[in-house]
């Protein structure tokens, strides 16, 4: 005899909820089920003769409705009770209970309770899944943001509303000279030696990132930072606040670049432009002086002519010499400028090469310069015989005039200027056919040149930092002199110490007069 099935009890229904929860948990792992991947239906048998079916999708439009669908079968069961599963944030579905005998009203109410609990449980699980997905998405987005920040060419730092450092890259530490990750808060860097452009310390409250965070303003500035080696670097800093939807500042970001090299180049260009302007002024003044001599003497001649006076031959000779001297000075200035222009452009000069004896050439230049100074004593020492090479005499004369003239100019207190002309044999590095070198040394007792700047004086429009302001200079002479020497196949070198004077050494290739095998390096 078949035993009549027992009615559903509350314990039966709670057991159904636990069974469904366990099954869904098994499908979804630790984080709960991925409801989008659940089978369309889950069927289980519970109690005596009662079967449970959970189907997702197709829920009744009327929530909390249970109906007794007699005549519809669920695996051969005559009584079916359907309860909609619908909860905010959860999937929609249907809970079906089936058995052989009808459901009593009390059982219907219990089934409705079961449906609500299942729907609520699924909604909670779906919420946990959505949160986990959102957390994964946020973590992936943060990883992408960190990757972008790490690859940026400049330093980047992001700080929270209270100053905590949220993100940064290695370049920010390189720019500041300290490792950012070692200190978690912006205030921990208050001791950084940031300075204003004028060298004054920059207070922490005036930092661009601090101002962007506290004042909510964008700040674009150029700052200095004292390096451990004593130098001052230049930083370009752009800082801006980060706001939420309500406009409140929740963070601040700063992008920082080390522009020390750029700042140095800009300063060099600015200095070069200033020197060029000063050079034009000096050249104009130098041209004006001989022109005034020409104009004054021309007026004297005209005055005599207007009066019908006969001009003594001595006066005419003297005026002619003045004209000749003024013309020679102006020609020298113009030729120097033309040569400097060609050499700056990297062009070779058209050298007029002829046999030249260096000793009388140096003596002539020294005698002319000695006439312009009484505080300096120029002496020339040379060995016996000629020191002959195939050179451009006019250009070599200007080179010697520049180097010896500098020895006088940069010895403002006066003193000795010693000139030496000698021959030195070729070395093995010069090759077996090299005829040797003609060497001119110019030694003074002037202000000297700092060792670190001895290359600077051979650059266009540059001067040593220890040159007094009242000593004018164009910044053209020494660069031109060195390049002219090099185009002759020679060299111009410097050895100096501050306050101990300077020695310039000019070396030019000799010529083999006996075999007439003249070497013409750099010539045309």
């Amino acid at each position: 005899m078949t035993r009549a099935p027992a009615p559903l009890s509350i314990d039966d229904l709670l057991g159904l909820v636990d069974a469904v929860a366990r099954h869904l948990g098994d499908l979804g792992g630790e984080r709960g089920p991925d409801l989008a991947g659940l089978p369309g239906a889950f069927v289980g048998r519970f109690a005596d003769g009662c079967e449970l079916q959970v189907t997702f999708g197709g829920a009744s439009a009327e929530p909390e409705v249970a109906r007794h669908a007699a005549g519809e079968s669920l695996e051969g069961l005559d009584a079916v009770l359907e309860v909609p599963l619908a909860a905010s944030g959860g999937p929609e579905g249907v809970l079906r209970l089936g058995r052989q005998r009808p459901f009593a009203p009390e059982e219907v109410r219990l089934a409705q309770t079961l449906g609500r609990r299942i729907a609520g449980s699924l909604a909670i699980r779906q919420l946990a899944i959505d949160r986990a997905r959102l957390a994964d998405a946020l973590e992936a987005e943060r990883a992408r943001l960190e990757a972008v920040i790490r690859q940026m060419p400049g330093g980047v730092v992001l700080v929270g509303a209270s100053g905590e450092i949220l993100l940064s890259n290695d370049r920010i530490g390189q720019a500041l000279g300290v490792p950012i990750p070692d200190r978690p808060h912006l205030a921990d860097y208050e001791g950084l030696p940031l300075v204003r452009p004028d060298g004054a310390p920059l207070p922490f409250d005036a930092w661009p990132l601090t101002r962007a965070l506290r004042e909510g303003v964008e700040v674009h500035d150029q700052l200095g930072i004292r390096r451990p080696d004593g130098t001052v670097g230049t930083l370009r800093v752009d800082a801006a606040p980060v706001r939420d939807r309500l406009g409140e500042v929740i963070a601040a970001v700063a992008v920082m670049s080390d522009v020390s090299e750029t700042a140095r180049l800009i300063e060099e260009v600015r200095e070069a432009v200033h020197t060029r302007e000063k050079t034009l002024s000096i050249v104009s003044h130098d041209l004006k002086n001989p022109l005034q001599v020409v104009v004054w003497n021309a007026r004297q001649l005209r005055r005599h002519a207007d009066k019908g006076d006969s001009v003594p031959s001595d006066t005419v000779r003297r005026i002619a010499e003045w004209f000749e001297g003024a013309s020679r000075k102006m020609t020298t200035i113009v030729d120097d400028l033309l040569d400097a222009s060609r050499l700056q452009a990297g062009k070779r000069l058209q050298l007029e090469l002829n046999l030249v004896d260096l000793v009388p050439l140096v003596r002539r230049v020294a005698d002319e310069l000695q006439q312009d100074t009484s505080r300096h004593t120029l002496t020339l020492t040379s060995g016996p015989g000629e020191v002959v090479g195939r050179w451009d005499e006019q250009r070599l004369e200007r080179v010697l005039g520049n180097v010896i003239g500098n020895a006088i100019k940069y010895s403002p207190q006066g003193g000795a200027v010693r000139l030496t002309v000698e021959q030195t044999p070729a070395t093995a590095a010069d090759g077996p056919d090299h005829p040797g070198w003609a060497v001119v040394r110019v030694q003074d007792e002037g202000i000297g040149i700092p060792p670190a700047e001895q290359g600077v004086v051979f650059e266009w429009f540059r001067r040593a930092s220890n040159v007094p302001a009242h000593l004018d200079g164009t910044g053209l002479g020494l660069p031109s002199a060195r390049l002219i020497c090099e185009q002759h196949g020679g060299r111009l070198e410097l050895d100096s110490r501050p306050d101990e004077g300077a020695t310039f050494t000019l070396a030019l290739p000799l010529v083999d007069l006996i075999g007439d095998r003249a070497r013409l390096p750099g010539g045309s």
Side-chain angles (χ1 to χ4, degrees):
M1 176 178 172
T2 303
R3 183 169 59 89
L8 286 173
S9 67
I10 188 64
D11 292 334
D12 295 329
L13 295 178
L14 291 177
L16 294 180
V17 174
D18 292 339
V20 171
R22 283 195 303 273
H23 180 73
L24 295 179
D26 291 341
L27 289 177
E30 295 180 358
R31 292 187 175 181
D34 184 351
L35 298 178
L38 278 176
F42 162 67
V43 180
R45 180 179 295 276
F46 302 92
D48 289 334
C50 182
E51 290 189 4
L52 165 71
Q53 183 184 69
V54 179
T55 303
F56 296 103
S60 172
E62 301 178 10
E64 301 296 338
V65 172
R67 60 190 178 86
H68 178 229
E72 298 180 10
S73 64
L74 182 64
E75 293 191 3
L77 301 177
D78 294 332
V80 178
L81 178 64
E82 293 186 354
V83 179
L85 304 178
S88 177
E92 293 184 350
V94 177
L95 167 66
R96 291 186 179 88
L97 295 172
R99 65 182 183 187
Q100 296 295 341
R101 60 184 178 82
F103 292 94
E106 179 180 347
E107 292 176 329
V108 172
R109 288 193 296 272
L110 290 175
Q112 290 176 331
T113 301
L114 173 64
R116 286 192 296 270
R117 293 192 64 170
I118 292 177
S121 175
L122 294 177
I124 292 173
R125 287 181 176 274
Q126 185 64 47
L127 181 60
I129 293 169
D130 292 342
R131 286 181 176 177
R133 287 175 175 169
L134 180 60
D136 290 342
L138 289 175
E139 185 63 28
E141 191 66 27
R142 179 186 176 91
R144 282 193 293 269
L145 179 60
E146 288 181 340
V148 171
I149 289 177
R150 281 196 303 271
Q151 299 302 319
M152 289 187 67
V156 181
V157 59
L158 176 68
V159 299
S162 62
E164 69 277 13
I165 295 177
L166 303 177
L167 285 175
S168 67
N169 62 3
D170 293 339
R171 287 182 175 83
I172 194 74
Q174 295 170 3
L176 294 174
V178 293
I180 290 296
D182 289 355
R183 306 176 189 177
H185 200 278
L186 182 62
D188 295 332
Y189 296 86
E190 187 170 354
L192 280 177
L194 295 178
V195 296
R196 302 182 190 275
D198 60 1
L202 185 68
F204 178 70
D205 290 343
W207 287 13
L209 189 56
T210 306
R211 291 185 56 198
L213 189 61
R214 295 182 179 178
E215 302 174 21
V217 296
E218 290 189 10
V219 183
H220 309 280
D221 207 350
Q222 189 162 293
L223 308 174
I225 182 167
R226 297 190 185 279
R227 308 291 192 192
D229 60 1
T231 61
V232 177
T234 304
L235 304 177
R236 171 69 187 183
V237 184
D238 298 281
V242 179
R243 302 179 183 273
D244 61 14
R245 295 179 180 177
L246 300 178
E248 297 294 326
V249 176
I250 58 173
V253 63
V255 179
M256 191 177 304
S257 301
D258 188 340
V259 295
S260 302
E261 183 64 17
T262 302
R264 184 187 67 80
L265 293 176
I266 291 175
E267 184 60 30
E268 286 185 0
V269 170
R270 187 181 293 114
E271 181 182 345
V273 170
H274 173 72
T275 304
R276 185 181 297 240
E277 293 174 350
K278 190 174 181 180
T279 298
L280 293 175
S281 175
I282 294 171
V283 170
S284 300
H285 179 270
D286 290 346
L287 283 173
K288 190 175 182 180
N289 286 339
L291 280 174
Q292 287 177 336
V293 172
V294 172
V295 171
W296 185 85
N297 284 283
R299 287 175 179 172
Q300 294 298 317
L301 288 176
R302 182 174 182 178
R303 188 177 295 114
H304 285 293
D306 290 344
K307 291 180 180 180
D309 297 338
S310 61
V311 182
S313 59
D314 291 344
T315 301
V316 173
R317 185 180 297 106
R318 186 176 66 254
I319 291 176
E321 290 175 353
W322 284 342
F323 281 171
E324 184 180 4
S327 174
R328 186 167 57 251
K329 287 183 178 179
M330 288 188 290
T331 300
T332 298
I333 292 173
V334 172
D335 287 344
D336 282 342
L337 289 175
L338 291 175
D339 279 355
S341 177
R342 294 189 187 101
L343 292 169
Q344 272 190 281
K347 298 179 180 178
R348 295 191 65 83
L349 301 177
Q350 295 297 318
L351 301 178
E352 298 293 335
L353 300 176
N354 295 288
L355 294 178
V356 179
D357 186 352
L358 196 56
V359 175
L361 178 60
V362 173
R363 181 176 292 111
R364 183 173 73 243
V365 173
D367 289 344
E368 291 179 358
L369 292 173
Q370 181 68 80
Q371 296 177 12
D372 297 330
T373 178
S374 59
R375 292 184 300 171
H376 302 80
T377 302
L378 279 64
T379 60
L380 172 60
T381 303
S382 63
E386 298 177 331
V387 180
V388 178
R390 197 176 291 274
W391 305 311
D392 186 322
E393 184 172 2
Q394 289 187 352
R395 285 193 169 95
L396 197 54
E397 182 176 357
R398 296 207 303 270
V399 169
L400 292 169
N402 181 274
V403 175
I404 300 172
N406 281 349
I408 295 172
K409 178 192 298 185
Y410 297 113
S411 303
Q413 304 303 319
V417 177
R418 289 176 287 275
L419 312 176
T420 304
V421 181
E422 60 183 355
Q423 298 186 45
T424 61
T427 65
D430 298 325
D433 296 330
H434 197 286
W437 298 95
V439 178
V440 180
R441 289 188 179 86
V442 180
Q443 184 179 8
D444 64 60
E445 299 174 346
I447 61 176
I449 301 171
E453 299 182 32
Q454 292 183 15
V456 170
V457 298
F458 292 106
E459 297 178 10
W460 297 107
F461 303 107
R462 298 290 301 278
R463 305 179 76 191
S465 60
N466 64 331
V467 175
H470 68 277
L471 295 180
D472 291 330
T474 63
L476 295 174
L478 286 178
S480 294
R482 170 173 272 187
L483 289 174
I484 289 174
C485 290
E486 290 175 352
Q487 291 198 12
H488 277 85
R491 60 185 182 273
L492 179 61
E493 299 172 341
L494 166 63
D495 181 41
S496 179
R497 295 291 183 275
D499 301 322
E500 296 180 9
T503 300
F504 283 86
T505 301
L506 168 63
L508 296 168
L510 292 166
V511 65
D512 186 351
L513 295 176
I514 298 176
D516 195 26
R517 292 183 288 112
R519 298 172 61 85
L520 306 178
S524 61

